[in-house]
Amino acid sequence: MTWLRYGVVFLAVAIGVAQVVRLLDITKDEMLGSAAQIMVPAMIAALIEGQQYVRRHAALPGSGGAWRFAFIAMGVATVLNVALTYAGPTVAPEFAKLAIAAPGSQQFVTLLLMYAGGYLLANRFFFGIGAGNTMSRDKARNERPGK
């Protein structure tokens, strides 16, 4: 279920932000798109998964578990990145920029590896942030007087 939720959140954020930016581009007659749109979906999905981990286990994930999550989530995000690349510029314009390189070409592989590296780091960092924040909040809630 974790990977399904991660993928759904990733796609919802990627497509949602792309559509908002596209709408603003049309109404404001400006180009607001940014490469940050490619990393933000992974960040938000990893944050949510970190929160869910603490809710399920009532403990922080160990370093090995967090890295395991980061590597698997990197694979999921990279596959979804490729899918969004070919979904077209009307669905996710920033992701569609990868389509300028021929699939399998050195440029395509280099860009995809750069994205994968960014996904790995974002997933690891934000998974830990989500877990840590949830754990701190739960601890503070339990320490309140009157509980």
Side-chain angles (χ1 to χ4, degrees):
M1 188 61 170
T2 298
W3 307 115
L4 177 60
R5 182 178 42 242
Y6 178 91
V8 168
V9 170
F10 184 97
L11 286 173
V13 171
I15 294 170
V17 168
Q19 294 307 309
V20 168
V21 168
R22 195 165 161 256
L23 179 65
L24 289 172
D25 285 348
I26 292 168
T27 59
K28 301 291 183 187
D29 198 29
E30 296 179 22
M31 295 304 292
L32 300 174
S34 140
Q37 286 176 249
I38 292 173
M39 288 298 143
V40 169
M43 293 173 178
I44 292 172
L47 190 72
I48 290 170
E49 290 307 318
Q51 293 169 344
Q52 292 301 317
Y53 182 90
V54 169
R55 288 185 184 130
R56 273 192 315 270
H57 302 287
L60 290 174
S63 180
W67 278 109
R68 202 169 19 264
F69 166 83
F71 275 102
I72 294 169
M74 173 195 67
V76 171
T78 302
V79 167
L80 293 174
N81 187 332
V82 172
L84 287 170
T85 294
Y86 295 104
T90 57
V91 175
E94 287 301 317
F95 286 89
K97 290 180 180 176
L98 182 59
I100 61 170
S105 70
Q106 185 176 0
Q107 181 184 15
F108 184 89
V109 172
T110 301
L111 285 171
L112 203 54
L113 287 174
M114 287 174 40
Y115 294 154
Y119 288 142
L120 176 67
L121 296 175
N123 283 317
R124 174 59 181 94
F125 185 67
F126 282 90
F127 182 73
I129 288 175
N133 286 347
T134 301
M135 189 69 136
S136 296
R137 184 196 68 215
D138 290 350
K139 184 179 177 185
R141 186 180 294 154
N142 292 333
E143 291 177 353
R144 280 192 212 142
K147 285 228 170 198

